[in-house]
Amino acid sequence: MKVSSKLMYALTAYIGAASIIYIFATIFVDDSGNVKGGEWIGITMLVISTLMTLMLAGYFHFTEKRQDILPQDWEEAEVEDGAGTYGFFSTSSIWPAVMSGSIFVLGAGIIYMHYWMIGFGAVLVIWSTTMLNLQYGIPKEKH
């Protein structure tokens, strides 16, 4: 087993134990300020959290079993062994700022329920997203 699945199985065991303690504590501890019985929101949240971490642990277990040895599993690994290519990040692009402004206009339209502003903001978000994605596909003279 690899590190991620072990970590998620341990987290599943911890949340499962905490949920069992919580269930017994809310059912059997008498507190005069509460109604007698279990507190269903907390019980539901803890049981669902346990099941979700178990699902993620199972996914990590089955996918890591089919992978080769990862750098975090080596005892003599260095940081640069796990570092891959980070990709290309544009340093001088104006489009993230334009997209932030258009999301602000859309949000302000939703908050104040101005339908014309919602439409204008949606058009701005679509336009700025398109221009952000096409900024290196369009020749410089077309900008």
Side-chain angles (χ1 to χ4, degrees):
M1 242 189 304
K2 308 279 177 125
V3 176
S4 301
S5 59
K6 287 180 184 179
L7 183 68
M8 291 308 295
Y9 281 130
L11 188 61
T12 301
Y14 173 74
I15 296 175
S19 63
I20 290 171
I21 292 169
Y22 185 81
I23 289 169
F24 285 119
T26 57
I27 290 175
F28 295 117
V29 174
D30 188 24
D31 187 9
S32 61
N34 290 333
V35 179
K36 185 78 171 157
E39 197 271 315
W40 291 106
I41 299 298
I43 292 171
T44 305
M45 184 268 313
L46 283 169
V47 169
I48 289 175
S49 296
T50 304
L51 293 175
M52 288 172 64
T53 55
L54 181 64
M55 178 185 68
L56 192 57
Y59 172 76
F60 284 154
H61 179 79
F62 289 124
T63 56
E64 288 176 345
K65 192 167 45 172
R66 291 170 180 81
Q67 287 180 346
D68 201 14
I69 295 176
L70 298 174
Q72 59 259 34
D73 294 325
W74 301 345
E75 291 193 17
E76 299 172 354
E78 297 292 329
V79 174
E80 55 267 0
D81 292 333
T85 57
Y86 290 119
F88 174 72
F89 298 101
S90 178
T91 57
S92 61
S93 178
I94 191 68
W95 297 113
V98 173
M99 185 180 291
S100 299
S102 61
I103 290 172
F104 174 76
V105 171
L106 179 63
I110 292 171
I111 288 171
Y112 297 117
M113 287 306 294
H114 294 306
Y115 295 114
W116 63 270
M117 191 180 282
I118 293 172
F120 184 64
V123 169
L124 279 176
V125 167
I126 292 170
W127 176 70
S128 61
T129 304
T130 303
M131 295 309 289
L132 177 69
N133 289 324
L134 296 178
Q135 68 181 343
Y136 293 107
I138 300 173
K140 286 189 182 269
E141 61 270 2
K142 300 281 183 163
H143 278 272

